[in-house]
Amino acid sequence: MREKQEKLWNSEYIKVMLANFNLFFAFYLLTPLLPLYLSEHFFASKDVIGFVLSGYVLAALIFRPFSGYIVDSFNRKKVLVLCFLIYSVCFAGYLLASSLVLFAIIRTLHGSPFGACTVANSTVAIDVLPSSRRNEGIGFYGLSNNIASALAPTIGVFIYKYTKNFDILFWLAIVFALIDLISAYSIKIPQKEIIKNTNKISLDRFFLLKGWFLALNMVFFSFCYGVLSNYLAIYSKETLGITTGTGTYFMLLSLGLILSRLQGNKALKEGKLLQNAFIGIVISTFGYVIFAFFPTHFLYYLSALLIGLGNGHMYPAFQNMIIKVANHNERGTANSTLLTSWDVGVGIGILAGGFIAEHFSYYYAFILVALVHVLGLSLYYIFTRKRFVLQYNKSNLTA
């Protein structure tokens, strides 16, 4: 009876969702267009573009493990607001960057508050959710960043198509970041006693060692998304001659994410994490394969829907799994571990995609993407799902 009485959509959870949406919307409004910006304004080559864009991933990668420790060790409300404040200020730097080197520095610095914000906000989301609705709530929480990261590029491409003005996009990102800051400041987080860890400083303070197998598997999938999200616009133009369809692609990707979250949330509520993850990986693998090996207009758009459907099933399942193998005072570390693995994959994808495109073509970069996703599927089926069951049972026994 108690489970029916606990409310999922409480006011604080809604605020956290809005903050997360604005966080990703501001960031991904610029993501697919930055390669064009660097090429047109600074005349950067393809491999240089990959190097510059990977800077924020490197910064996020370095800072995220420490973010988990900080979130678990200090007042989460203060940490959250400070992270969003620095994140908002960094957007102004894009308007001030007058050279490629300065832009690269600002882009790299921006990765630190972005990485910290994602860890802090997702941990706060867990805090404001009733325990009986946590699996379901985490699934819906992911919708906010999934929709934002799909809609924002669509809107960004649309604005650029009609204005050809990057400054408008930079200012719009600043506005959403400031709204984000206000949303974060208004969140009321349940006061919990901060449990000080008296053990010596060790790796497991910053990285959830018990969840290494989930983090490793996630690298394969984020590698693919890193190449797709950063090089789709240029690939579409060079390989298929599609100059105005990138926005439509991300819109279909968003639709797939929404549908899969709504459909898959029942399975999450019932605890069918392994099933949800496997279904999602299979669907998204199929999407990447047809995108890479069958470059036609129809399959181009179909792949967007399939990749969205797949990721919408897979990611919340992985997030729930890594939280389940963590202790209650390790939620921030668990979140940062999964997000760090995502950063690693995206960063490698951006660098590898730029390198292959420079020396071969974007077509071969996406062939590699399809093969990597197939390897990720194989790893999950052969190893990860079995390892999760063993680790989860072990954690319950020692709890």
Side-chain angles (χ1 to χ4, degrees):
M1 179 66 85
R2 179 175 176 267
E3 195 170 334
K4 293 182 180 179
Q5 295 175 340
E6 289 189 302
K7 186 178 180 181
L8 173 62
W9 295 98
N10 61 70
S11 59
E12 305 312 315
Y13 178 61
I14 292 172
K15 291 176 186 176
V16 172
M17 290 272 285
L18 290 173
N20 196 51
F21 176 86
N22 289 323
L23 168 69
F24 280 87
F25 189 94
F27 203 82
Y28 283 101
L29 183 72
L30 308 175
T31 297
L33 292 165
L34 286 181
L36 293 175
Y37 178 74
L38 295 174
S39 177
E40 293 176 3
H41 286 256
F42 300 116
F43 306 104
S45 62
K46 294 174 182 176
D47 50 353
V48 170
I49 290 172
F51 178 76
V52 172
L53 295 181
S54 65
Y56 93 90
V57 182
L58 177 62
L61 172 62
I62 293 172
F63 201 75
R64 261 183 178 153
F66 298 100
S67 302
Y69 171 73
I70 292 170
V71 167
D72 284 335
S73 304
F74 299 96
N75 183 290
R76 285 179 183 168
K77 173 66 174 287
K78 293 180 180 178
V79 171
L80 183 67
V81 172
L82 179 61
C83 290
F84 275 121
L85 176 61
I86 300 172
Y87 170 74
S88 302
V89 171
C90 284
F91 274 108
Y94 294 129
L95 289 166
L96 302 175
S98 57
S99 68
L100 182 60
V101 172
L102 186 57
F103 186 95
I105 292 172
I106 293 169
R107 181 67 175 174
T108 300
L109 292 175
H110 205 176
S112 297
F114 177 73
C117 285
T118 52
V119 173
N121 206 60
S122 58
T123 306
V124 168
I126 297 169
D127 286 341
V128 299
L129 280 167
S131 58
S132 64
R133 308 293 296 272
R134 188 165 292 143
N135 284 357
E136 186 183 4
I138 291 174
F140 278 122
Y141 174 82
L143 255 183
S144 57
N145 59 271
N146 288 152
I147 294 173
S149 60
L151 286 180
T154 303
I155 294 172
V157 169
F158 178 82
I159 292 173
Y160 178 73
K161 175 184 175 182
Y162 288 100
T163 66
K164 303 296 181 183
N165 190 326
F166 281 99
D167 285 353
I168 293 176
L169 293 171
F170 292 144
W171 277 111
L172 186 60
I174 292 172
V175 169
F176 273 91
L178 291 175
I179 295 173
D180 211 8
L181 176 61
I182 295 170
S183 298
Y185 185 79
S186 68
I187 298 170
K188 296 178 182 178
I189 304 173
Q191 293 298 317
K192 295 182 180 180
E193 181 183 357
I194 298 173
I195 302 174
K196 295 293 183 182
N197 193 331
T198 56
N199 297 330
K200 294 181 179 180
I201 296 293
S202 59
L203 180 60
D204 59 1
R205 295 271 199 102
F206 311 106
F207 184 89
L208 190 70
L209 296 177
K210 292 178 288 186
W212 69 267
F213 56 97
L214 292 163
L216 175 63
N217 210 158
M218 183 58 74
V219 169
F220 285 80
F221 306 130
S222 59
F223 172 95
C224 303
Y225 192 76
V227 178
L228 180 74
S229 61
N230 283 272
Y231 300 119
L232 177 68
I234 293 180
Y235 168 82
S236 303
K237 182 178 180 180
E238 289 189 359
T239 304
L240 295 172
I242 298 174
T243 57
T244 60
T246 307
T248 304
Y249 190 95
F250 281 108
M251 184 65 75
L252 289 171
L253 183 66
S254 174
L255 178 62
L257 288 166
I258 295 170
L259 292 175
S260 62
R261 293 281 187 168
L262 295 176
Q263 186 275 328
N265 231 50
K266 181 180 179 182
L268 288 176
K269 188 177 181 180
E270 296 171 354
K272 298 178 181 178
L273 304 180
L274 294 173
Q275 175 184 321
N276 234 31
F278 182 67
I279 291 173
I281 296 168
V282 170
I283 294 173
S284 56
T285 298
F286 188 59
Y288 279 110
V289 167
I290 65 171
F291 180 92
F293 289 97
F294 305 97
T296 66
H297 284 217
F298 172 74
L299 294 179
Y300 170 86
Y301 292 114
L302 178 61
S303 71
L305 187 62
L306 292 174
I307 293 170
L309 285 169
N311 283 0
H313 279 290
M314 175 189 67
Y315 192 87
F318 267 73
Q319 189 173 14
N320 273 296
M321 282 192 279
I322 201 165
I323 288 171
K324 283 187 177 296
V325 300
N327 296 325
H328 292 302
N329 63 333
E330 295 175 325
R331 289 172 181 170
T333 304
N335 275 317
S336 70
T337 298
L338 193 65
L339 290 166
T340 297
S341 67
W342 183 267
D343 288 339
V344 170
V346 169
I348 296 173
I350 294 172
L351 286 172
F355 178 83
I356 294 172
E358 179 69 22
H359 296 281
F360 300 96
S361 70
Y362 283 112
Y363 172 76
Y364 286 105
F366 281 101
I367 291 292
L368 177 63
V369 162
L371 296 177
V372 168
H373 215 281
V374 170
L375 288 175
L377 169 62
S378 303
L379 179 63
Y380 177 81
Y381 187 78
I382 295 171
F383 177 72
T384 303
R385 63 192 182 97
K386 298 176 183 178
R387 178 74 184 184
F388 168 72
V389 173
L390 291 174
Q391 186 63 58
Y392 179 56
N393 291 336
K394 182 181 177 181
S395 297
N396 283 342
L397 287 173
T398 57

